[in-house]
Amino acid sequence: MPTAVNVAKQCLTAEASYALEEAVNVARRRGHSQTTSLHAISALLSLPTSVLRDACARVRNSAYSPRLQFKALDLCLSVSLDRI
């Protein structure tokens, strides 16, 4: 059973609560009735400072620029969200 956003936000830190709100916004923009983990990942990567974005930057492949890698990851997420 899905958890209501306002209930979930009560259990989160301010940063996590903001990321959840952004994930909900991503789902709404795409016309999706429920927010999934893909929406959350997309939201976390779009924030200028997020733990996920920092982790991705640290493990990046030096053969490609970080900007190009984030663009590729964004494209993959976008395709996945389009399939929902």
Side-chain angles (χ1 to χ4, degrees):
M1 179 198 275
T3 304
V5 173
N6 58 348
V7 173
K9 286 173 66 173
Q10 293 174 4
C11 305
L12 302 173
T13 64
E15 181 182 16
S17 179
Y18 180 73
L20 177 59
E21 192 62 41
E22 287 300 308
V24 170
N25 291 336
V26 169
R28 282 187 187 136
R29 279 194 309 268
R30 293 183 159 275
H32 299 157
S33 60
Q34 292 186 350
T35 305
T36 68
S37 56
L38 287 173
H39 297 107
I41 291 169
S42 178
L44 283 170
L45 288 173
S46 70
L47 296 174
T49 58
S50 75
V51 175
L52 180 59
R53 189 176 179 92
D54 291 344
C56 288
R58 275 187 257 128
V59 296
R60 67 180 187 263
N61 181 344
S62 61
Y64 301 99
S65 73
R67 185 176 184 185
L68 182 61
Q69 290 177 43
F70 281 125
K71 188 132 180 101
L73 186 55
D74 181 46
L75 178 62
C76 290
L77 284 170
S78 182
V79 168
S80 297
L81 286 170
D82 287 342
R83 290 181 180 173
I84 290 179

